Amino acid sequence: MYDCTNKESFDQIESWFTQISNNIDTRIIIMLLGNKCDLPNREVPYNTAMEYARSRNFGFLEVSAKTGINIKNSFYCLVRGKFMKLMFVEIYRNQVT
């Protein structure tokens, strides 16, 4: 998660991703969330963050913890992504055996 009103927090994402990648199973689903999307003093353009997420195969949403914008949707997207990944593995497993 980064702060839409703080470019420095967005610039740290690559470092956070490197740390995560070195310490976890590579088969996880990562979703990039831009918080404070309800505030007018944006420093990180939506398209910049979306393109970064797309280049890394991350899910992406902008959210607002204050107003609740996209909070439930972000959880739904993560669960749906995990379910789809499990279904793909099961289909592949059935084709191999």
Side-chain angles (χ1 to χ4, degrees):
M1 181 178 289
Y2 69 94
D3 179 344
C4 291
T5 66
N6 182 332
K7 176 88 167 64
E8 187 177 324
S9 71
F10 180 77
D11 293 340
Q12 293 299 316
I13 293 169
E14 190 63 29
S15 173
W16 297 334
F17 176 66
T18 300
Q19 290 175 9
I20 290 170
S21 297
N22 292 334
N23 294 296
I24 57 160
D25 185 345
T26 58
R27 295 171 292 165
I28 67 163
I29 296 170
I30 297 177
M31 184 159 200
L32 179 61
L33 298 177
N35 192 31
K36 300 184 182 179
C37 69
D38 57 313
L39 298 180
N41 53 332
R42 170 183 295 272
E43 290 184 6
V44 181
Y46 177 89
N47 288 339
T48 300
M50 182 182 66
E51 287 302 318
Y52 175 79
R54 184 178 293 158
S55 74
R56 286 292 196 177
N57 280 334
F58 296 166
F60 173 69
L61 280 175
E62 287 192 338
V63 300
S64 170
K66 182 178 181 180
T67 66
I69 295 170
N70 274 337
I71 297 296
K72 287 182 182 178
N73 197 25
S74 65
F75 285 100
Y76 170 76
C77 289
L78 282 171
V79 170
R80 188 181 74 199
K82 181 65 174 172
F83 175 76
M84 296 302 288
K85 189 172 257 192
L86 288 172
M87 291 301 295
F88 175 77
V89 168
E90 189 62 31
I91 290 168
Y92 176 77
R93 190 175 307 155
N94 287 338
Q95 290 176 350
V96 171
T97 57

